[in-house]
Every structure is written in C-alpha cells, then in structure tokens.
Amino acid sequence: EDENPTGYAFALVRTQTMTTAQIATATPTIAEDTAQERVMALLADTWAAPVDNDDDEEITCVISNKLKLRCPLSFERCSIPVRGENCMHLQCFGLLAYLESNMKMRALNNRWTCPVCNCMLRPQDLRRDAYVEKVLAETPEHIDEVLIMQDGSYRCIEEAPSGGQAAIDRAAQIAEEAAKAAAVADDGDVEEMFTTINDTDVPKQQKRKAQPSIQKHLTKRQRARMGSENDSD
C-alpha cells in the first residue's frame, strides 16, 4: 500500500478528433463594427502620438497603421482572416493555413502559438475578423497592405513596378499598337506610296527604245548610190 495516497492526482479527459473544416465552421466571427472598433482602439496611441517628440525621457511604443493582407504562413492573401481573441496586433493570418501547419507539426511544445506575436493560441480562441474580410473583398489581388486611416477607412499602398515589369508592360503596349495597325490594314485602308524613279533605275535597252531616232544628213554621193540601187531593183 502507498503511504502517501494524496501525493498524486488522477484525471480522466474526454477528447474528440475534429477536422480543419469542422474547426473552421466552429470558429466564431467578430462583427465588422466590433472589429473596426478594436482596430481604432489599438491605433489610439498612434493617432495621439506627436510626430516630432523632443522629450527623450518619455518613449511611447505605438502600432503601425499598416495592415498586411498576406498570411505569414502561406504568404498568400488570407481567404479566412483570423486572429487570437486576446492578440494585440492588426495583422491576421489564414485560418486553414494555421490549422494545417499545427496539425502537421511534430514538436508538441511549439503547437498552437500565434504566428505574429507567438502567444499561446488554441483553436477555441481563434476569431474571424469581419473588418479585415471587408478590406480583402474590396481590394485588388495585387494589393499586399493598406493604410488604416483615423476615421476607420483605408487606403491601398501601391508599389512602383520594377524595371523588368516596366519593360514587359512597354512590350505589351507596342504589340497592342501593332495589332491595331494590322487590323486597320485588313479593313481596306491603304495608304498611297509615291516612289521617285531615277534614270539609273531604267534599263539601258528601254532607255534606247525611248529615245527618238535621228536621221543623219546624206552626202550627194550617198544619195546617188541609193538612187542607183533603187533603179536596179
């Protein structure tokens, strides 16, 4: 018999296996207005912070008002943006990418941590952000981040095209112009072309034919000879 029966504990835990689709369906959604109020609350210190702070004694940490739309796990735009209920950051991440990456992870001690702030984040603590879903639905696919304005609106951040992309766009424009020109030619709009022909371009034989024949003046002896030849005929 054990002399210390109170030195240990016995527990019975009932678990249930759930698929990613079941967890995604069970994840609650935060309403758009509530999610927007949360964003404004997180950025309150950012709007209140002065632009030029000459006081070196007081340092205030503020959150950037840039909202990234790409998932840090899949590096693609989030299809179902989620975050932790207690997370204090703007960026969301993809729900399916988060669930699949954690289910495939072998290190149990590294599972279920937020990919943005590394806080403990169980599936039951995930929340879908309807405000970020709205931003994703209203922005083009090539937009990676937006600026959150003080009134709750947002502005897209456009990146300048690289040199290679600019060359591709220019080549496409030239090809389009050439296609339009070919289409106009096919419609029957023919331009008249005037060509100047130099004397050197005419063959010598044609040149000779074009010249008029010139009769030479005959002498008296030649005329007499030609008359005798005609009488003999």
Side-chain angles (χ1 to χ4, degrees), residues 11-24:
L12 180 62
V13 180
R14 180 183 178 183
T15 61
Q16 181 182 1
T17 303
M18 298 180 66
T19 62
T20 55
Q22 291 174 338
I23 298 176

Side-chain angles (χ1 to χ4, degrees), residues 10 36 41-42 67 76 80 155 161 164 185 194:
F10 179 79
Q36 183 174 344
L42 290 175
L67 174 61
E76 298 178 354
I80 306 177
R155 181 166 59 86
F194 298 93

Side-chain angles (χ1 to χ4, degrees), residues 137-211:
E138 295 178 350
T139 53
E141 290 293 330
H142 67 277
I143 298 297
D144 292 340
E145 56 184 359
V146 296
L147 281 176
I148 304 299
M149 311 308 292
Q150 195 166 0
D151 59 351
S153 61
Y154 62 90
R155 181 166 59 86
C156 297
I157 300 178
E158 297 278 357
E159 293 184 358
S162 59
Q165 185 63 34
I168 294 174
D169 295 341
R170 177 58 180 167
Q173 182 179 1
I174 294 174
E176 183 179 357
E177 293 176 357
K180 289 181 180 179
V184 172
D186 294 338
D187 292 338
D189 297 338
V190 181
E191 297 182 358
E192 296 183 357
M193 303 296 294
F194 298 93
T195 305
T196 303
I197 301 176
N198 299 326
D199 293 340
T200 56
D201 298 333
V202 180
K204 293 183 179 180
Q205 295 179 356
Q206 295 181 4
K207 194 173 183 182
R208 290 173 183 173
K209 294 180 180 180
Q211 292 179 353

Side-chain angles (χ1 to χ4, degrees), residues 27-39 42 67 78 80-95 98 114-117 119-132:
T27 301
T29 302
I30 303 300
E32 180 181 337
D33 295 339
T34 305
Q36 183 174 344
E37 291 176 359
R38 169 186 172 274
V39 171
L42 290 175
L67 174 61
C78 300
I80 306 177
V82 295
R83 54 173 175 80
E85 183 179 12
N86 299 320
C87 289
M88 304 299 292
H89 49 77
L90 298 181
Q91 184 178 4
C92 292
F93 46 90
L95 173 59
Y98 180 72
C114 177
V116 180
C117 61
C119 293
M120 183 64 64
L121 183 55
R122 301 290 183 182
Q124 61 268 21
D125 298 328
L126 292 172
R127 298 293 182 271
R128 294 181 60 169
D129 196 309
Y131 176 73
V132 179

